[in-house]
Amino acid sequence: MASYRSGLLCAIMFLAIHGGWAQTSDTISNACSNALYTHFCVSSLSKASGALEADLTQLSVIAVRLSSEVAKPVSRFIEKLKKRNPNVSALEDCSDLLKDTREQLHDSQSELKQLSNVNFMEYVEDVLTRLSGVETNQDTCLSGLKESNVPATLVSSVKDNTDSLTMLISDALAVVSTLRQQGHI
């Protein structure tokens, strides 16, 4: 199951990076212009429902939503690993980090949906702070596993399942940063 999921995620990433989805908008291109994974950002947003017609604020919500949607199966995967490896305390830490990631992504999405000109900068700064923290959770999980001296196959399996989430969170951070730079709704 894990190798199937890894293969599926690799195929999705390949299509995204190599232009498997052709249609895009200027707003999406602008929103992803500063992203670390620019092609992945453009591709993932371009295929998201409503993104082609979305303004920058709406794209921010969509980018965070995509991260949240990927965080759910990653969290389930970590829970399954935890049950199979009950003596690996680092998996408990990973599980807690993924729960925190999901909660923070949900809160960020809610806050972005409530943006107005009155609270714009405060909310956007809150979301950026939250996403910056969430961005490190997967690295913290992997570092903890490596320090626990678990088999390399376990670390590799977790990495394979968290890579796309890490990329999506990074891209969401870039989109929200672009929103902040433009300074209005």
Side-chain angles (χ1 to χ4, degrees):
M1 179 68 175
S3 63
Y4 172 76
R5 182 180 303 279
S6 297
L8 181 60
L9 289 174
C10 287
I12 290 169
M13 287 173 42
F14 176 84
L15 286 172
I17 292 168
H18 296 287
W21 298 289
Q23 199 172 22
T24 191
S25 73
D26 289 340
T27 306
I28 291 173
S29 295
N30 174 48
C32 293
S33 64
N34 295 319
L36 184 59
Y37 309 102
T38 306
H39 296 294
F40 185 76
C41 180
V42 169
S43 296
S44 60
L45 283 176
S46 294
K47 70 177 184 73
S49 177
L52 293 175
E53 303 82 27
D55 62 25
L56 193 51
T57 302
Q58 294 164 332
L59 280 179
S60 295
V61 173
I62 291 169
V64 173
R65 186 191 76 224
L66 291 174
S67 299
S68 185
E69 288 171 357
V70 170
K72 289 176 190 173
V74 172
S75 184
R76 285 192 298 266
F77 173 76
I78 296 295
E79 288 299 316
K80 287 179 185 176
L81 278 181
K82 197 171 78 169
K83 287 179 183 174
R84 288 187 211 139
N85 302 279
N87 297 327
V88 179
S89 62
L91 284 173
E92 182 67 39
D93 295 339
C94 288
S95 177
D96 291 343
L97 287 164
L98 261 295
K99 286 176 187 170
D100 182 55
T101 293
R102 290 181 65 192
E103 181 180 306
Q104 296 296 324
L105 289 170
H106 173 73
D107 291 349
S108 295
Q109 189 176 351
S110 295
E111 206 157 15
L112 286 168
K113 287 179 181 179
Q114 297 176 32
L115 284 181
S116 71
N117 286 322
V118 175
N119 60 17
F120 177 82
M121 274 307 202
E122 178 185 339
Y123 278 21
V124 169
E125 291 299 326
D126 286 350
V127 170
L128 287 170
T129 300
R130 202 175 291 121
L131 290 176
S132 293
V134 165
E135 187 177 33
T136 64
N137 285 354
Q138 287 66 242
D139 286 337
T140 303
C141 167
L142 291 170
S143 294
L145 288 170
K146 290 174 187 173
E147 290 171 11
S148 298
N149 295 318
V150 298
T153 54
L154 181 64
V155 176
S156 178
S157 180
V158 171
K159 183 179 182 328
D160 288 348
N161 280 277
T162 59
D163 278 349
S164 60
L165 176 58
T166 300
M167 291 170 66
L168 285 167
I169 292 169
S170 175
D171 290 343
L173 187 58
V175 173
V176 176
S177 292
T178 301
L179 178 64
R180 178 186 60 189
Q181 290 169 359
Q182 295 196 358
H184 60 83
I185 298 181

